[in-house]
Every structure is written in structure tokens, then in C-alpha cells.
Amino acid sequence: MCDDTLGHGAERTLRCPRGHAFDIAKQGYANLTRGRMPHEGDSAPMIEARDAFLAAGHYDFIRAALTDAAPVVDGLVLDAGAGTGWYLAALLDRHPQATGLAVDVSKPALRRAARAHPRAAAVLADLWQPLPVARADLIVNVFAPRNGPEFARLLPPGGILLVVTPAADHLHELVAEHGLLSVDPAKRERLAETLSAFAPESVTTVRRRLTLTGAEVRTLIDMTPSARHVSADPDGGTVTAAVDVTVFRRSDRPLPSPAAARGTDR
């Protein structure tokens, strides 16, 4: 992709002055990729499970912590790894002068993100490649991979990046009983390395004990990469949900090399 500005060409197409064209899917998101993607992101069943679990309100406390941590913004909010756009929509509700862009590699997720908010658009793009944006006023990253060099390119010095990562005891009951992927003990160190062009300003840990039915536990498992490895119907019970909400500020340090970018925590 070149660096020229995209504008509307023919119906359901974006074009740049050099003639590059990108389709807008009938579901409302723009595909800004060339050729096959190396990975397809979350599957349709995972996205359906996530949509149901979030709609039930179980993670409302995480969304509230994220919106509370965000500074006042009246420009572009970029949600990198946006999923269904659920968190982005809450930020746009809080900041009525802002616009949003949901970026994800999962087509099933983007079909929902394109409808998540009237002031949000959605694009299919690989987070490990140069992102199709010249600048952002705020970047949010919730349970998603982080491309530190690209985030640093998009934010001016002093710009804010909000990152939500699982805390050490997140879903630990399901990890013990069903073998879900556990949190890397070196997560914070790797996060700092990945985001070497940013200075952490604050970390807020929020935690809830969720009382879930067996069906709700199944839905929670099904929205994770471990879903295919858990075949038994789980019992209901209490599950710990715990995340760290970290506020990073873009420093004046030189941009890190792309090789330092690849942190893939969920």
C-alpha cells in the first residue's frame, strides 16, 4: 500500500490518487489488504461467543475502567485489534467529538465492528504490517497483539496508548480445570520491551468474581483460543476476571525497529 490518502471512488470502493483500489464489503468494513493474509484472526464461532458474553454485561467493569482511563479526545481513536468494536463504541459515547477506527484481521469481528457506532469505521488490516493510518489521537489495545513501532509512529510525543492485558489470576479457575492458556509470568517485562517508545504512566488492576451458569462458562471458553481443546460441558460456578489497564505515554525516544514489535498476548 502507498501512503496517499484514500477517498471514495466507485460505489463500495476506496481509491487513492495513484489508482490503488480497496473494496468495501457489503457488511460495511473496508479491506485494506493485498493478497492472502497470513492469519485470519478469531473465527465466527469465537466472535459469536464473545458478542453474547459481552452483551450479558460480564465485562462491563473492564469497559468502564478503560473509558475512565482515557483522556479527553476530539480526534481519531484507533482501536488496534478491535474485535466487535464493543470497547471502541463506549469510548466514542464518552467523547462525542471523537471518531473511531476499528482495525482487525477477523472478518466476522469486523462485520459487527462496522455497525458498532455511528462515528466508527472498520478496516481489515494486519496489525504486524504498516497500518493504514497517518496519525491517531488515542490508541486503545484490548486483549490484542501490539505493534509498538507502528503505535509510536501514529502517536505524537505525549500521545496516549491504553493497553488492557489479563492479570496473573485472570480466569485462573478455568485454567486449572480446563487447561486454558495461562498468563505469561513475564508479561509486564515483555510488554515494556514491545512498547519501548512509550513510558508507562499508571497501571490499574480491576477484578471481579463472576457467578456464571454452565452455559455462560461454555460461552466464555468459546471466545478464547482454547475453545477447540475443551470438549466437556463445564459446570457453573465462580470465575475470576482480572485485567491490568495500563496508560502509556509516547516518549521522545527514537522509534524501535519492527523486529521489537511482536508481542502476542491476549
Side-chain angles (χ1 to χ4, degrees), residues 46-59:
M46 290 173 67
I47 293 301
E48 290 174 7
R50 184 188 305 178
D51 212 25
F53 194 81
L54 296 178
H58 301 301
Y59 278 4

Side-chain angles (χ1 to χ4, degrees), residues 169-227:
D169 57 341
H170 184 58
L171 308 184
H172 71 88
E173 297 90 349
L174 301 184
V175 171
E177 185 172 354
H178 299 289
L180 268 62
L181 296 176
S182 59
V183 177
D184 183 353
K187 175 180 290 293
R188 288 195 179 183
E189 290 78 7
R190 290 198 298 107
L191 184 61
E193 180 181 358
T194 300
L195 302 175
S196 60
F198 293 84
E201 287 206 333
S202 66
V203 181
T204 301
T205 301
V206 291
R207 182 177 284 103
R208 291 288 186 278
R209 299 275 286 170
L210 308 177
T211 301
L212 304 177
T213 66
E216 289 170 330
V217 172
R218 181 73 252 183
T219 300
L220 176 55
I221 292 172
D222 286 346
M223 61 189 263
T224 74
S226 300

